């Protein structure tokens, strides 16, 4: 009897999550395919939870500003973990105006394995460069006692296809001399070209 009651209680607690997952009225999140010289990566974009950052990324996609851009950085923080960074790399012909910062404390998102987040300098300077977490990189979240930056970085999506490609990019060769400051030794050689980026059909 006690076991049956506990099972019923567990089912009641799980019901809202299951209902949300199966709600046909919930709009599907947009997905973006990045066809790279290393293979295809598919990103699900958190349009509802990070609307400013998601809209910015999708604008770069829709205006074909990522076509011909690159993944240019691989930072290993441990065996098989770290991040890979790509985007327009401050190309003046590709870059759009910077956007407002959406911290993870506001969106509820986090730098889990496969999270896609905006690269930036100060908060409010993010434009058209992004990075993918390989393994959890929770120190890039905002508001944690161990955050590398108290404002954190703005997560706006996650890789839902091609994490094997992302891990291969992380393990790719880097130049021992290219890059300034902390990025020295993290610049890919050769860079991985983003041949084309597009929204996948719903």
């Amino acid at each position: 009897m006690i076991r049956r009651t506990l099972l019923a209680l567990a089912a009641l607690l799980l019901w809202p999550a299951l209902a949300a997952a199966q709600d046909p009225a919930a709009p599907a999140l947009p997905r973006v395919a990045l066809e790279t010289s290393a293979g295809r990566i598919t990103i699900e974009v958190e349009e509802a939870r990070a609307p400013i950052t998601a809209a910015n990324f999708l604008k770069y996609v829709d205006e074909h500003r990522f076509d011909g851009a690159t993944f240019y950085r691989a930072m290993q923080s441990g065996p098989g973990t770290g991040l890979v960074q790509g985007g327009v790399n401050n190309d003046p012909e590709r870059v759009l105006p910077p956007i407002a910062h959406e911290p993870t404390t506001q969106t509820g998102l986090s730098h889990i394995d496969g999270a896609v987040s905006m690269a930036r300098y100060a908060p409010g300077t993010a434009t058209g460069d992004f990075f993918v977490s390989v393994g959890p990189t929770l120190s890039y979240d905002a508001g944690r006692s161990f955050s590398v930056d108290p404002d954190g970085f703005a997560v706006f999506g996650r890789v839902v296809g091609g994490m094997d490609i992302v891990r291969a990019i992380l393990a790719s060769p880097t130049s021992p001399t290219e890059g300034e400051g902390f990025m020295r030794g993290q610049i890919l050689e050769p860079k991985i070209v983003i041949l084309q980026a597009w929204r996948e059909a719903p």
Side-chain angles (χ1 to χ4, degrees):
M1 180 67 180
I2 293 173
R3 185 180 176 197
R4 188 178 302 165
T5 302
L6 289 173
L7 287 171
L9 180 60
L12 283 172
L13 290 172
L14 283 171
W15 172 250
L18 292 171
Q22 298 173 2
D23 181 5
L29 293 173
R31 290 189 173 189
V32 166
L34 303 178
E35 190 68 49
T36 79
S37 53
R40 185 174 297 182
I41 299 165
T42 304
I43 297 170
E44 190 169 72
V45 182
E46 288 281 0
E47 205 170 29
R49 298 171 75 181
I52 295 170
T53 318
N56 177 69
F57 181 76
L58 291 171
K59 187 171 185 179
Y60 276 89
V61 171
D62 293 341
E63 295 183 1
H64 304 286
R65 292 175 183 269
F66 289 140
D67 296 3
T70 62
F71 280 97
Y72 54 85
R73 180 186 178 205
M75 185 198 79
Q76 297 198 32
S77 56
T81 62
L83 62 84
V84 300
Q85 185 169 320
V88 302
N89 201 10
N90 298 316
D91 180 344
E93 295 190 2
R94 296 176 183 268
V95 73
L96 293 169
I99 58 170
H101 182 54
E102 288 181 306
T104 54
T105 47
Q106 175 182 312
T107 63
L109 300 169
S110 184
H111 287 85
I112 59 173
D113 182 43
V116 188
S117 189
M118 293 305 297
R120 64 166 177 80
Y121 298 106
T125 62
T127 54
D129 291 84
F130 58 92
F131 63 89
V132 181
S133 294
V134 182
T137 57
L138 302 183
S139 61
Y140 289 90
D141 287 355
R144 296 182 183 269
S145 59
F146 50 83
S147 296
V148 297
D149 181 312
D151 296 300
F153 293 80
V155 177
F156 65 90
R158 65 188 181 96
V159 172
V160 294
M163 268 307 288
D164 56 329
I165 305 300
V166 175
R167 292 190 176 92
I169 295 173
L170 181 65
S172 296
T174 57
S175 166
T177 57
E178 195 177 350
E180 297 181 6
F182 65 89
M183 288 179 63
R184 184 176 291 273
Q186 299 178 7
I187 304 302
L188 289 165
E189 191 178 85
K191 297 174 177 61
I192 306 299
V193 180
I194 300 172
L195 303 169
Q196 189 178 8
W198 69 91
R199 292 198 201 208
E200 289 191 334

